[in-house]
Amino acid sequence: LSSEKYNIRRKDFGKIEPSDVDYFRSVLSEDRVLTEESDVLPYNVDWIKNCRGQSKAVLKPKNTEEVSTILKYCNERKLAVCPQGGNTGLVGGSVPVFDEIVISFALMNKIIDLDDLSGALVCEAGCVLENLDNHVRERGLIMPLDLGAKGTCHIGGNASTNAGGLRLLRYGNLHGSILGVEAVKADGTVIDCLRSLKKDNTGYHLKHLFIGSEGTLGLVTKVAIHCPVLPKSVNLGFFGVKNFENVLKLYKSAKSKLGEILSAFEMADFDSISFTAKNLKLPNPISDYPFYVLVETHGSEETHDGEKLTRFLTNEMESGLILDGTVTSEPAKMQTIWNLRESIAAAGLVGGYVFKYDVSIPLKNYYDLVPILRKRLGDKAVKVFGYGHVGDGNIHINVTVPQYTKEVSSMLEPFIFEEVSKLNGSISAEHGIGFRKPKYIHYSKDQSALGLMKDLKQLMDPNGILNPYKVLPDHI
Ligand code: FAD
Ligand code: 2HG
Ligand code: ZN
């Protein structure tokens, strides 16, 4: 159990009684209050099967009013809750730790409005990202974010984690794209910041409190988000590179030579790609290289963009930065390459346990920790591999082992966080703090900032019922 593994005590919350279940059934219908163990189980276990809670109840509201009514009641009864979107989070934030009541947004999936002139989409929090992307594509737009979990994650979960993803370098992060938010505070008050305007400097920018706060300050019920125009021309290159130094040189060159059309610059080392190709039986379109780089362009002129990327490949093959590569604009071929990249996250789960780290490190030191960890762990690890969003200075380091052991865990933590801190990096670049990292947050947040976080939490959720044991460390 996560609670035993992490040595945490249940806080003094109320315990759910049959009368509570009756109340919830009176607000929601019978079938939207799950209490059967087998029905509740999937909501208790996270995507990497690393954290498992012991919740006895899942509530599935259909609208903001229901969320508000439930929360008001939970707050009065001091019943702790755990908001859950698509449950694809990678830091244990989306599942309960003890018996917190799960509030699932799965049924709040209505698209409310799309303005194809301004690009503003307004929808409920439980809309699946890929469904939204398909919807806006029909009107000549795309979602401003894309990630491997798109088929399952919710926009409310994306907002609550400030998810980054594969094209942040081009379209920016959600603090910029999200135009407005509707959220419910712990006491049931609905906070209406659901504006669709690009500019709105009327006082405090309250929506930002809910973006990236991982369900600890309020529950996001609706989102207004800016959708960029669907690019008329998309090209993808997949390149083999000799060493990491050349990956960085290639990044610099891509920024200058591809300029405004560059939409993604991702890298993966040999182990990331070979392990994924082998474990998940996926094809690698080029042969074996120490590093792989994926470069995507989004533009408006196929001939111009295609030529630009092909010229980039030719020039950099001549310069020696690219050893071999392929460029394509065929949707099926692009899909094969993206699928290989997006599947790396799942490859480590096959046949063992994976320790995942998601860190920001200044680019010149971006890859340093991978060889350091390989040396430190020796044959205790099956694989240590590094990959990620070079354009955002964000590397994912996965350490795979046959099974979880305290020994390996204590060789990795806090070591890795200390190293990241020494390099002036962030211990969580895009996945958040969740349940797995509160005790390490101080490596990236100063005491003064932690103090303000604590004050905000006290103000917004005085009983601490919203996603307890997550984000904030016990002692600040
Ligand atoms: P959940 O996992 O359900 O919840 C995440 C957190 O948000 C939890 O703390 C939860 O309590 C809270 N929450 C959820 N919904 C709400 C709500 N409506 N109101 C308040 N709080 C809420 N992340 C990236 O940033 N970039 C990536 O490239 C990326 N790729 C991924 C690839 C794969 C294959 C997987 C499995 C995950 C990936 N992730 C990535 C992590 C994850 O998908 C994101 O964090 C995503 O935003 C989570 O959305 P979700 O709906 O699944 O949220
Ligand atoms: C990605 O970029 C995700 O693929 C997942 O953020 C990272 O699982 C991981 O380590
Ligand atoms: Zn990522």
Side-chain angles (χ1 to χ4, degrees):
L1 294 178
S2 52
S3 41
E4 285 164 10
K5 198 156 92 185
Y6 291 92
N7 195 19
I8 272 190
R9 293 181 90 105
R10 186 182 182 279
K11 290 189 179 160
D12 192 20
F13 295 113
K15 286 203 168 139
I16 189 164
E17 307 282 347
S19 56
D20 299 318
V21 174
D22 289 343
Y23 176 77
F24 294 134
R25 291 210 159 115
S26 75
V27 178
L28 312 172
S29 53
E30 178 96 19
D31 58 327
R32 293 194 282 124
V33 180
L34 311 182
T35 52
E36 282 294 323
E37 206 183 322
S38 57
D39 292 339
V40 175
L41 182 66
Y43 298 85
N44 267 323
V45 183
D46 73 337
W47 189 82
I48 31 176
K49 305 203 167 18
N50 178 332
C51 295
R52 179 170 175 172
Q54 302 151 53
S55 181
K56 305 269 180 293
V58 177
L59 310 181
K60 300 178 95 174
K62 270 191 175 157
N63 55 47
T64 305
E65 293 65 42
E66 289 181 352
V67 175
S68 163
T69 309
I70 295 165
L71 269 191
K72 184 169 185 291
Y73 180 86
C74 288
N75 193 44
E76 278 160 12
R77 284 269 298 111
K78 292 201 170 52
L79 294 168
V81 303
C82 173
Q84 190 175 97
N87 197 12
T88 66
L90 296 172
V91 286
S94 52
V95 289
V97 178
F98 294 97
D99 55 348
E100 300 89 88
I101 296 168
V102 175
I103 301 186
S104 163
F105 285 87
L107 301 181
M108 290 184 58
N109 54 9
K110 280 198 263 326
I111 295 175
I112 299 164
D113 189 39
L114 176 61
D115 178 339
D116 54 15
L117 186 57
S118 71
L121 167 77
V122 184
C123 65
E124 288 183 331
C127 291
V128 170
L129 178 61
E130 191 167 43
N131 295 345
L132 291 176
D133 197 54
N134 290 337
H135 179 83
V136 301
R137 270 171 195 270
E138 284 170 17
R139 303 272 290 275
L141 302 165
I142 55 170
M143 291 302 285
L145 80 161
D146 187 11
L147 51 153
K150 58 180 151 271
T152 314
C153 65
H154 295 179
I155 194 70
N158 299 149
S160 304
T161 54
N162 184 30
L166 305 162
R167 295 197 184 85
L168 186 138
L169 125 150
R170 172 68 172 272
Y171 299 111
N173 75 28
L174 291 179
H175 284 284
S177 317
I178 292 186
L179 305 166
V181 157
E182 177 193 81
V184 183
K185 264 179 33 181
D187 65 3
T189 314
V190 179
I191 307 291
D192 183 358
C193 299
L194 195 67
R195 311 297 299 274
S196 301
L197 304 167
K198 274 233 172 127
K199 288 187 160 181
D200 181 17
N201 277 350
T202 49
Y204 305 152
H205 287 231
L206 298 175
K207 67 181 178 193
H208 295 298
L209 287 173
F210 304 103
I211 302 172
S213 52
E214 301 178 62
T216 60
L217 297 181
L219 304 200
V220 175
T221 43
K222 292 190 187 101
V223 170
I225 187 164
H226 176 256
C227 300
V229 165
L230 173 75
K232 282 207 191 76
S233 118
V234 179
N235 289 274
L236 190 60
F238 191 60
F239 309 134
V241 180
K242 188 170 73 182
N243 52 35
F244 185 68
E245 204 188 321
N246 286 359
V247 172
L248 288 186
K249 286 187 183 153
L250 204 57
Y251 175 50
K252 202 167 177 192
S253 165
K255 280 202 292 183
S256 107
K257 299 206 176 96
L258 300 170
E260 78 294 347
I261 61 170
L262 182 65
S263 56
F265 191 102
E266 299 274 311
M267 83 96 203
D269 63 13
F270 170 77
D271 280 339
S272 304
I273 294 295
S274 64
F275 201 63
T276 305
K278 187 171 130 248
N279 278 358
L280 303 175
K281 300 191 178 46
L282 295 173
N284 173 359
I286 58 176
S287 53
D288 292 351
Y289 292 97
F291 289 88
Y292 295 91
V293 162
L294 183 155
V295 177
E296 188 198 57
T297 63
H298 275 186
S300 57
E301 179 60 58
E302 184 51 55
T303 326
H304 163 269
D305 297 356
E307 269 170 17
K308 236 175 159 177
L309 189 57
T310 310
R311 203 176 324 124
F312 174 74
L313 170 64
T314 318
N315 287 349
E316 298 306 2
M317 279 184 83
E318 270 164 31
S319 75
L321 287 186
I322 295 177
L323 298 177
D324 188 17
T326 173
V327 165
T328 180
S329 58
E330 269 180 53
K333 286 195 180 148
M334 292 198 290
Q335 188 50 44
T336 305
I337 296 169
W338 269 123
N339 193 29
L340 182 62
R341 160 62 187 89
E342 290 175 24
S343 301
I344 304 173
L349 306 183
V350 179
Y353 182 89
V354 58
F355 292 91
K356 283 181 180 287
Y357 300 98
D358 156 48
V359 297
S360 284
I361 301 179
L363 280 177
K364 65 178 178 1
N365 301 109
Y366 181 90
Y367 194 71
D368 288 6
L369 283 177
V370 178
I372 291 177
L373 288 175
R374 282 187 183 140
K375 192 156 168 231
R376 184 175 170 85
L377 294 168
D379 56 13
K380 292 199 168 65
V382 177
K383 291 278 178 223
V384 177
F385 50 86
Y387 67 105
H389 319 288
V390 177
D392 317 324
N394 173 195
I395 185 165
H396 299 302
I397 301 175
N398 283 207
V399 178
T400 68
V401 286
Q403 73 234 358
Y404 173 89
T405 64
K406 277 223 161 87
E407 190 198 1
V408 173
S409 172
S410 57
M411 287 175 87
L412 287 165
E413 300 174 20
F415 175 79
I416 189 161
F417 304 121
E418 279 165 4
E419 295 301 302
V420 168
S421 174
K422 277 188 225 156
L423 293 168
N424 294 317
S426 165
I427 64 143
S428 176
E430 59 173 6
H431 297 159
I433 294 292
F435 177 62
R436 291 195 49 231
K437 299 189 193 166
K439 66 175 185 237
Y440 303 118
I441 195 173
H442 64 277
Y443 285 105
S444 289
K445 275 261 175 321
D446 182 79
Q447 196 55 36
S448 59
L450 286 172
L452 184 56
M453 279 174 61
K454 184 179 169 188
D455 293 346
L456 282 169
K457 174 72 176 172
Q458 179 63 28
L459 176 77
M460 311 266 300
D461 177 21
N463 292 332
I465 62 160
L466 297 182
N467 227 2
Y469 322 106
K470 318 282 172 63
V471 184
L472 297 133
D474 264 346
H475 305 287
I476 296 182

